[in-house]
Amino acid sequence: MLNIILLGPPGAGKGTQAARLQAERGMIQLSTGDMLREAVAAGTPVGLKAKAIMERGELVSDAIVSALIGERLDAAADQGAIFDGFPRTKAQAEALDLLLTERGRRLDHVIELVVDEDELVKRIVGRFSCARCGTGYHDTFRPTKVAGVCDVCGSTEFKRRKDDNEATVRTRMAEYRAKTQPILPFYEARGLVRRVDGMAAIETVAAEIDAILDGTV
Ligand code: AP5
């Protein structure tokens, strides 16, 4: 059972690859961004705290996101976990170590998606998802096969994220450089970091990640 972290700035492709791995391998995608958006939509106490912070593109507190991950790990009967957008700070990385150890799990890989930030802005502002089943698309890079109809469930309703505008994306990238990139040495010292070119086509990125998970590279 593999436990991996996908690391990279906003728009690097973490969610795209995590959703694919979940569908193909029975691993569970643990996205703190998705969990927080669900909490905001449901108006829970966590959601009420997180809403304005997320709309500014800043980071929600370490305690909140670490608790969310712990709850989901306990609820899951999975074949491994993909941490998507977590950890994002040194404190979260330390919390994850503890959460895994307490559950008899260990971290196998930290996969960094290496990307060009200016290109990412284009990726993010073109992103949308199916309002019914959540499948992710992009105006240019991953359109629906039939315009306006979800490939997976046939819904004609789609949504765009509130924080997917250029100004907020720049703040999210600055947060990534200031708080998340500095955790890489923590994992490098343990020999866990693998780098993948996140600017390649989605299928190429997928093949590179699969090779790491299958131990063929
Ligand atoms: P979160 O939801 O985690 O957002 P993010 O990290 O900013 O990442 P994104 O979801 O924007 O990008 P992604 O890498 O998943 O890219 P995707 O696959 O969608 O966090 C949102 C907010 O929640 C944060 O700002 C913060 O406030 C809060 N938060 C979340 N976690 C937190 C934590 N741990 N601590 C504190 N606060 C937290 O791809 C983007 C687009 O590009 C898609 O349209 C896709 O189709 C396309 N695409 C993907 N790969 C490729 C490719 N190879 N080539 C061409 N197009 C591609």
Side-chain angles (χ1 to χ4, degrees):
M1 183 163 82
L2 294 174
N3 297 290
I4 66 164
I5 294 173
L6 292 182
L7 209 65
K14 306 180 294 294
T16 302
Q17 296 299 333
R20 180 191 66 83
L21 289 169
Q22 172 167 277
E24 292 177 4
R25 292 181 181 244
M27 297 171 80
I28 184 169
Q29 174 185 9
L30 295 170
S31 160
T32 40
D34 287 348
M35 293 172 203
L36 290 167
R37 278 184 288 281
E38 281 164 22
V40 170
T44 66
V46 164
L48 293 175
K49 278 189 197 150
K51 186 172 186 289
I53 300 171
M54 293 174 77
E55 284 176 10
R56 288 196 300 273
E58 295 166 7
L59 294 188
V60 175
S61 87
D62 292 332
I64 287 181
V65 292
S66 302
L68 286 173
I69 287 283
E71 283 164 21
R72 293 296 170 102
L73 268 179
D74 289 336
D78 56 275
Q79 313 277 326
I82 312 139
F83 297 97
D84 162 11
F86 178 90
R88 268 172 146 99
T89 63
K90 184 80 187 302
Q92 291 179 25
E94 288 165 353
L96 178 59
D97 274 351
L98 194 63
L99 288 168
L100 290 173
T101 308
E102 285 169 350
R103 289 158 180 80
R105 293 175 172 238
R106 71 184 174 90
L107 199 55
D108 296 283
H109 304 290
V110 176
I111 301 179
E112 184 192 11
L113 297 172
V114 181
V115 285
D116 168 346
E117 286 195 4
D118 287 325
E119 282 298 313
L120 294 192
V121 176
K122 287 184 208 156
R123 275 196 197 172
I124 290 178
V125 297
R127 168 171 63 182
F128 62 98
S129 61
C130 173
R132 191 196 293 162
C133 74
T135 299
Y137 297 99
H138 189 280
D139 294 327
T140 312
F141 306 124
R142 194 178 185 175
T144 54
K145 288 180 185 135
V146 177
V149 182
C150 176
D151 298 354
V152 176
C153 74
S155 169
T156 53
E157 301 285 324
F158 295 89
K159 58 183 181 183
R160 290 182 191 258
R161 274 169 51 177
K162 250 190 166 167
D163 59 348
D164 278 353
N165 57 77
E166 180 156 0
T168 305
V169 170
R170 297 279 177 200
T171 305
R172 285 156 59 195
M173 284 175 176
E175 288 279 78
Y176 179 80
R177 278 194 301 273
K179 296 175 185 162
T180 307
Q181 237 168 8
I183 68 178
L184 276 164
F186 176 77
Y187 292 120
E188 261 158 6
R190 287 152 61 179
L192 292 175
V193 179
R194 306 294 301 265
R195 293 195 163 80
V196 168
D197 175 11
M199 300 315 293
I202 292 175
E203 300 69 30
T204 310
V205 177
E208 285 193 33
I209 292 175
D210 283 344
I212 293 170
L213 267 51
D214 295 336
T216 57
V217 287

